[in-house]
Amino acid sequence: MNRHWCAGALLAILGCGGVERLPLPSSYEAHDPAVRGQIASLERRVRSLEDAGAADPELAAAVGELGRLYHGVNLLDSHAFTALEAAEDCYREAQRLDPSDHRWPYLRGFAEETRGDHETAADSYRAALAVEPELVPAIQRLAQSEVERGRTDEATALWNSALELRPGFPPALYGLGLLALDRGDTESATGYLERAIAAEPGAGRGHYSLAMVWRRLGDEDRAAQHLAQASHTDFPFDDPLVRELAYLPAGSAALVQQGLIAVQAGEFAAAATVFGRAIEADPTNREARKHLALAHVDAGQFEQAEAAYEELLALDPDQTSAHFEFAQLLANRGQTAEAIRHLTWATELAPDYKQAHYQLALLLERAGRPAEALERYDHVLALDPDYAEAGTRRATALASSGRPVEALQILHTRVANAPADAAAVQALGVVLRQQNRLQEARTALERSLRSAEFGPTDEARLRTELGGILAIEGRLQDAARELRTAQQLDRTEPQTSFVLGMVLLDLRRPEEAARAFATALAVRPELTPARLRLAAILAQTDRCDEALALVEGGRRFAGNNPAFAQASRQLRTACAER
């Protein structure tokens, strides 16, 4: 093969660079200067190698690298269609120059598949497999392309070969399961799909397909179990050649998109690092700052999240969503006054922001300001008269404002009209309890639990309230039973475990109480009462170091809460006397 490009070859490369170097001859014009610089640099590299008469494989690698950059741009911005076209042109030329490199036909096939051209994509994948027969991602993608073309026998053979190379490969098992389901072989479909889900329990598409199998077999209970876990989440598989593409483009905008990829993968700390780099590249990038704050929250890095929100709002004080999100963080960390301030700001910026008014009402109620909470609930209901939860919470605010008769009338009516409205039933129990009408509260809760159908989470909340009432009545064993049932129904509700811990303390079962408080903290580390009580139990059992570490650790969740300083002093004094 001629080592120099002829005029025809030069024309072929126009999709990834042209005769002129700048402005960029490509049909794709990058918005970010950093990406434009990358493209220009790679084009100069291609031209330099061409002028130097480089060997075809070296020249192919440079052209292919330019194609990978264009492809990465498209992955980060699916609307950059011309970038994908440029990538394909580069891969085509790289493949022509070096047919022995499987990367270029494989990535070309992936680009063609993205465009929906499954026939051409299949040819490209086969070309890649001719060079690298054990390239499992190419086998998987080729099988999918064959299914799209109606060639199920070919797809079956491909997935079976993938399983030979990588036993238990979930996407292949899923594909075979779908084919078996399509031809009515429910027994084989069940086997394949159950194996696939066992390997990837979070793949919601697999749960949906298995639910359809069980429905065909007449087992509605199993079908319902899998439908509850169904989603659009597909079976993932590691594909390094594709995965690397999105991390090639430089610049602040590209880094934001790369950070979002890490967020989708659940790698929140890594995402925060990437968003931080995006801010370094462009300190005015508001999107990067917002995602940085959210990533810190998801990673449990609350102090860093607060700092990120403060910097964002200093840059853009009128960003309503940032005030709302910051308020949620502050509220969860016990900084109610600051949370109220930011929510108030959000409602002033967006008077029709229903959820901001609602959350503000909840916080005002929690802060012992029921009259102000009532005003906010009224505003929410003016915006949305059918917002049942706001109506229920308004009733509790009425009771706190010294108007229990009106509150109970609203709640009794609501429960009568909607017996399965768990929030209304719980609120009715709470208001009756606050009025010291314990027997009525208990009766209302027990009647609802017997007569209405509730989901696990709602039932857990009702049983937690019932357990609290039983504890007040001195029926501690019954209270513990209800609370344990609630805990089994929903382990994500910290209040249940906290109340259970208090009851177990009254029953003089400190070790069990400690486990309950620990369970509450595992879900909500910022729950100060649970942290302090667990620390006290640890200190009483000669585990002073653990108790002190627990108290000191609470400072990062609750800032300067004086309760921690007082608890620390008391623990040190008590431990020193032992």
Side-chain angles (χ1 to χ4, degrees):
M1 184 181 294
N2 190 340
R3 294 174 60 195
H4 298 281
W5 287 1
C6 63
L10 287 175
L11 290 174
I13 199 64
L14 280 177
C16 59
V19 177
E20 296 184 21
R21 304 194 180 180
L22 288 176
L24 293 175
S26 169
S27 58
Y28 173 72
E29 178 71 18
H31 299 294
D32 194 308
V35 177
R36 288 202 301 272
Q38 283 183 289
I39 293 172
S41 176
L42 288 174
E43 285 185 329
R44 286 194 296 271
R45 167 72 174 161
V46 170
R47 290 295 177 205
S48 175
L49 290 172
E50 176 196 358
D51 294 341
D56 287 345
E58 188 178 4
L59 194 53
V63 177
E65 193 62 26
L66 183 54
R68 290 189 344 120
L69 175 59
Y70 277 123
H71 207 157
V73 168
N74 174 257
L75 289 182
L76 296 178
D77 180 6
S78 60
H79 296 291
F81 302 113
T82 53
L84 187 62
E85 293 171 0
E88 288 185 57
D89 288 339
C90 290
Y91 294 146
R92 188 178 297 108
E93 185 60 29
Q95 184 182 354
R96 184 189 69 79
L97 288 165
D98 185 7
S100 68
D101 194 328
H102 68 274
R103 293 178 297 168
W104 314 131
Y106 176 69
L107 291 172
R108 177 183 169 187
F110 180 61
E112 291 160 343
E113 179 188 326
T114 301
R115 287 194 293 101
D117 187 351
H118 296 287
E119 184 170 353
T120 307
D123 291 339
S124 294
Y125 290 139
R126 290 194 185 281
L129 289 168
V131 179
E132 182 56 63
E134 296 187 358
L135 188 62
V136 173
I139 296 173
Q140 168 65 20
R141 294 191 187 280
L142 176 56
Q144 291 175 322
S145 292
E146 297 290 33
V147 169
E148 293 292 337
R149 299 165 66 200
R151 296 157 59 94
T152 56
D153 290 343
E154 289 80 355
T156 298
L158 286 161
W159 273 319
N160 281 320
S161 68
L163 290 171
E164 290 176 7
L165 293 167
R166 195 178 296 178
F169 184 49
L173 292 170
Y174 177 59
L176 291 169
L178 289 184
L179 292 181
L181 183 59
D182 286 343
R183 64 175 181 266
D185 184 355
T186 53
E187 182 178 352
S188 296
T190 303
Y192 285 127
L193 292 172
E194 286 189 333
R195 287 169 60 195
I197 289 174
E200 287 287 349
R205 288 185 184 274
H207 284 287
Y208 177 81
S209 299
L210 191 52
M212 296 303 100
V213 176
W214 287 120
R215 182 165 287 175
R216 285 191 189 183
L217 293 171
D219 193 331
E220 288 296 334
D221 289 338
R222 288 190 180 182
Q225 290 174 9
H226 287 287
L227 279 175
Q229 302 175 72
S231 71
H232 292 293
T233 304
D234 212 337
F235 285 88
F237 66 94
D238 188 30
D239 189 348
L241 289 177
V242 169
R243 173 166 35 86
E244 293 166 0
L245 297 175
Y247 294 95
L248 294 176
S252 186
L255 286 166
V256 168
Q257 296 304 312
Q258 291 162 10
L260 291 174
I261 292 173
V263 168
Q264 291 172 354
E267 301 170 352
F268 303 117
T273 300
V274 177
F275 292 133
R277 288 169 52 204
I279 293 168
E280 290 175 4
D282 178 8
T284 66
N285 191 329
R286 291 166 172 77
E287 185 181 9
R289 290 187 178 280
K290 180 176 180 179
H291 286 304
L292 174 63
L294 291 171
H296 279 316
V297 171
D298 289 333
Q301 301 167 341
F302 302 118
E303 290 181 5
Q304 295 95 318
E306 282 195 35
Y309 274 121
E310 286 169 354
E311 291 173 4
L312 170 60
L313 289 169
L315 183 66
D316 184 3
D318 294 337
Q319 192 165 132
T320 305
S321 60
H323 283 291
F324 181 80
E325 293 156 5
F326 192 17
Q328 289 182 305
L329 171 62
L330 292 167
N332 288 335
R333 301 196 73 202
Q335 300 179 50
T336 305
E338 275 297 291
I340 288 173
R341 185 173 72 84
H342 281 282
L343 279 174
T344 302
W345 201 334
T347 59
E348 289 171 354
L349 289 169
D352 292 340
Y353 193 173
K354 179 178 69 176
Q355 200 59 29
H357 284 286
Y358 180 67
Q359 293 298 325
L360 178 55
L362 292 176
L363 280 183
L364 289 167
E365 195 175 353
R366 185 192 303 177
R369 296 157 64 179
E372 295 172 76
L374 272 175
E375 291 181 15
R376 296 291 174 171
Y377 286 130
D378 287 339
H379 192 91
V380 172
L381 291 168
L383 293 170
D384 183 1
D386 297 325
Y387 198 161
E389 191 174 351
T392 297
R393 294 302 313 182
R394 180 180 180 277
T396 63
L398 278 170
S400 300
S401 300
R403 298 158 64 183
V405 175
E406 293 175 66
L408 289 173
Q409 183 178 1
I410 292 170
L411 292 171
H412 277 301
T413 301
R414 177 62 186 168
V415 171
N417 293 332
D421 185 341
V425 174
Q426 183 181 11
L428 177 60
V430 168
V431 174
L432 287 169
R433 168 170 56 79
Q434 290 172 342
Q435 297 301 307
N436 204 31
R437 295 161 64 173
L438 299 180
Q439 183 175 348
E440 292 178 65
R442 175 167 46 78
T443 299
L445 289 164
E446 290 173 339
R447 182 171 56 243
S448 291
L449 286 166
R450 285 195 306 269
S451 60
E453 290 283 340
F454 299 103
T457 301
D458 287 338
E459 183 179 342
R461 289 174 180 167
L462 296 181
R463 290 193 182 278
T464 296
E465 179 62 30
L466 177 58
I469 291 170
L470 289 167
I472 295 171
E473 291 180 324
R475 297 169 55 182
L476 298 180
Q477 294 289 356
D478 292 337
R481 184 190 65 250
E482 291 293 340
L483 292 164
R484 287 193 189 281
T485 300
Q487 193 181 53
Q488 290 169 0
L489 288 165
D490 182 9
R491 289 190 171 274
T492 66
E493 177 49 62
Q495 188 66 19
T496 303
S497 297
F498 175 71
V499 177
L500 176 60
M502 297 297 290
V503 170
L504 290 169
L505 277 180
D506 287 342
L507 287 169
R508 298 185 180 181
R509 288 147 65 176
E511 291 184 3
E512 294 177 59
R515 287 196 291 272
F517 291 135
T519 299
L521 288 173
V523 179
R524 190 177 167 192
E526 70 276 10
L527 190 60
T528 298
R531 185 175 290 271
L532 295 179
R533 281 168 176 77
L534 177 55
I537 295 172
L538 291 173
Q540 290 167 5
T541 53
D542 295 325
R543 296 162 67 182
C544 288
D545 289 344
E546 292 178 60
L548 287 168
L550 194 67
V551 170
E552 292 303 317
R555 293 179 185 273
R556 72 187 184 97
F557 296 106
N560 297 319
N561 189 333
F564 286 110
Q566 182 181 356
S568 180
R569 288 194 299 272
Q570 291 173 344
L571 283 174
R572 291 182 188 280
T573 301
C575 290
E577 294 173 353
R578 291 184 184 277

